[in-house]
Amino acid sequence: MKEIKNIVRSRAQESSSAVEKLYITMRHLFNRGFYKPMGVSGETLREALLSLRPEIYGTIAEEKVELNGLLYVIERLPIGIEECKFINLTSDEGYSKSHFKPIIPPKRKRNCYRIDDEQMNIEITRGRSDIYDILTHLTFIFIESHKIKDRILIDESGEVTRDWQKLEYAVLQEKKLVLVEKEKTISHVANILGRTFSEVLEIYDAFGTADKPDRFLHVVYWLGKLALEEVVDNTKRTITFSPILRERLGHHIHGEIWATNIKEVLKANQLLDRPIHIISANMHSVMNSIFATHVLKTKFKDQTDFFIYEELSKSGANDLRNKVEDFAKQFGMISLPDFSGTNIDVQIFDTAKIDFKKSAFPSVKLADPKPVIIVMDYAFGEQAYETIDELLKPFQETKDKKVFLNVESVSIMGKAGILQGGKGDTMIPSAHVNEGTGDNYTFHNELTKEMLEGNNIDVYAGPMVTVLGTSLQNKDLLKFFHESTWRVIGLEMEGAYYQKAVQSASKIRKSINPDVKVRYAYYASDNPLETGSTLASGGLGTTGVKPTYLITIKILEQIFNIK
């Protein structure tokens, strides 16, 4: 028998093992009900994250503090969380009916409530993916906080460096710093963070808000202060999961309320028996693609359609957007803001009421019965399964009467990380592969690479991997997916869950047409294999406008039977 010697795991295998360990640990801690991130109970989570070293968290495994990763995380967590020793993850438990004001992070739709000086409650209504996202982000900022502590604590009695004393003085003044004071303090903070003065200065304003321009100092101070107290006073930060959250998770409670509301609106408008096309996109691209060029043609004379879409995407264009929305509501659009807790808004378009001569598709001639288009905002991770699964179920109109929806197509347009190419390119998947399990879903995609070519945007086709969390990807793992026989072209968080719901509804439960058409297309928000092009490097800006609308128009052309 041949002796097996020196089996060395590759970095990709180590990373895969770390991802698996992270998710097993997070599920265990969730079932346990609480843990202390920087104590013994959080040790496995910390070790797995440091072993994985995700791209988005940059220098997490080095002594210096990671600035871009910190900004990325802080924008996705509630303002003030750095001050809290107790973080409580809850279900929707009625805080919206109290005096507590919801705090919504700038880059993530979730309701959070500051209970007192020490406690922050974060509402989880989007499933497990939301919990994974929050726990990995919190683990990262706590690891960074202990780096700060290591650089400021002189001895165990609690004596601290002069740099820390100067930062504390500046933060506790609670007034806007003049330029000289600000730059003096940045000099001290740069020493604390192990960063250069220019690196800190460059990112400083990105942390600021209108009422707290010096928030960067505030974040660094409170992270360091609580880490100091953990060591000197042994008062550990604690994360808890409410009993109601543990009881409700995985039971589609919010998804069912959301889907039932949509079906009731369809019934109220006599649309329940019409052909239905579902599009998962954003709340502007379908509406603008149909109506914007007609509504704004006099304002933007001789300009291209894509120029108009870019103008509508700019931050100060509220009046233009409202004008298009008001026109759309006159011609068949019903707007359904979310009240279910899913944070997924919906638009319903009754094509029988659209005057196509006053649209971007003047040659459309639809056969009767005219189709209905349901546009839903982006789901988050596993929430994609919950929402589509509930939406595709028959509507229980009365106790004895079920109405099956005539769903003709499901189209998914989203943003994803690309593994070849760059920001703004497009991807057409041929299959979705689930990270961790290797479960895979093949399908016939009605959209093809050829349909999108010739628009000065690179287009790639092939399998895509549905990852457990965008914050847990590293180059080694992604290179393996891209360069091995999987030949993956990109990564996103929802595709496999959408396809699982469509397949079960069409092939097993038979609640919708077994020949339902599916369309998937993504535009690249980042390339995690390129340094400086990860999600932490910033948003797409107007780079994403053209691919977004190009994909949307191709989907609409197929729904409207435009050859």
Side-chain angles (χ1 to χ4, degrees), residues 244-255:
I244 303 297
L245 175 63
R246 287 152 63 203
E247 185 184 297
R248 287 180 179 175
L249 195 75
H251 293 299
H252 291 201
I253 288 166
H254 301 286

Side-chain angles (χ1 to χ4, degrees), residues 408-419:
E408 293 200 344
S409 75
V410 178
S411 305
I412 311 299
M413 190 269 292
K415 56 184 176 183
I418 196 167
L419 301 182

Side-chain angles (χ1 to χ4, degrees), residues 76-118:
R76 284 154 181 80
L77 292 172
I79 288 174
I81 196 160
E82 66 276 3
E83 300 173 17
C84 297
K85 286 182 185 176
F86 302 96
I87 296 164
N88 189 18
L89 272 54
T90 72
S91 182
D92 180 356
E93 298 176 19
Y95 286 98
S96 58
K97 299 181 179 73
S98 68
H99 76 280
F100 294 111
K101 287 186 179 173
I103 305 167
I104 300 170
K107 296 286 180 76
R108 200 65 100 222
K109 285 185 186 174
R110 48 172 72 112
N111 291 332
C112 310
Y113 299 92
R114 184 74 178 264
I115 304 302
D116 53 38
D117 289 348
E118 293 186 317

Side-chain angles (χ1 to χ4, degrees), residues 461-474:
M464 290 183 69
V465 62
T466 298
V467 297
L468 296 160
T470 50
S471 54
L472 290 179
Q473 302 315 306
N474 71 12

Side-chain angles (χ1 to χ4, degrees), residues 453-557:
E453 285 178 332
N455 292 285
N456 296 319
I457 292 173
D458 288 342
V459 187
Y460 300 91
M464 290 183 69
V465 62
T466 298
V467 297
L468 296 160
T470 50
S471 54
L472 290 179
Q473 302 315 306
N474 71 12
K475 282 184 180 176
D476 306 287
L477 202 52
L478 296 175
K479 270 183 184 170
F480 166 75
F481 274 121
H482 181 49
E483 294 170 6
S484 71
T485 50
W486 284 112
R487 294 193 297 278
V488 162
I489 58 166
L491 64 144
E492 46 73 57
M493 279 185 66
E494 293 82 26
Y497 300 116
Y498 280 127
Q499 190 58 26
K500 180 164 76 168
V502 172
Q503 278 184 205
S504 64
S506 60
K507 308 291 187 206
I508 301 169
R509 293 174 171 173
K510 311 290 186 191
S511 52
I512 62 168
N513 179 1
D515 298 319
V516 64
K517 292 176 177 176
V518 292
R519 304 179 189 92
Y520 289 93
Y522 298 88
Y523 60 92
S525 56
D526 62 296
N527 185 333
L529 295 182
E530 282 182 14
T531 303
S533 291
T534 65
L535 278 172
S537 66
L540 270 172
T542 55
T543 313
V545 172
K546 189 172 181 181
T548 300
Y549 281 91
L550 197 58
I551 293 166
T552 306
I553 289 164
K554 291 299 173 188
I555 291 170
L556 290 173
E557 283 177 353

Side-chain angles (χ1 to χ4, degrees), residues 46-63:
R46 297 196 306 272
E47 285 175 355
L49 201 62
L50 288 165
S51 167
L52 184 63
R53 298 198 294 279
E55 296 307 308
I56 215 161
Y57 296 150
T59 58
I60 184 172
E62 297 176 29
E63 282 185 19

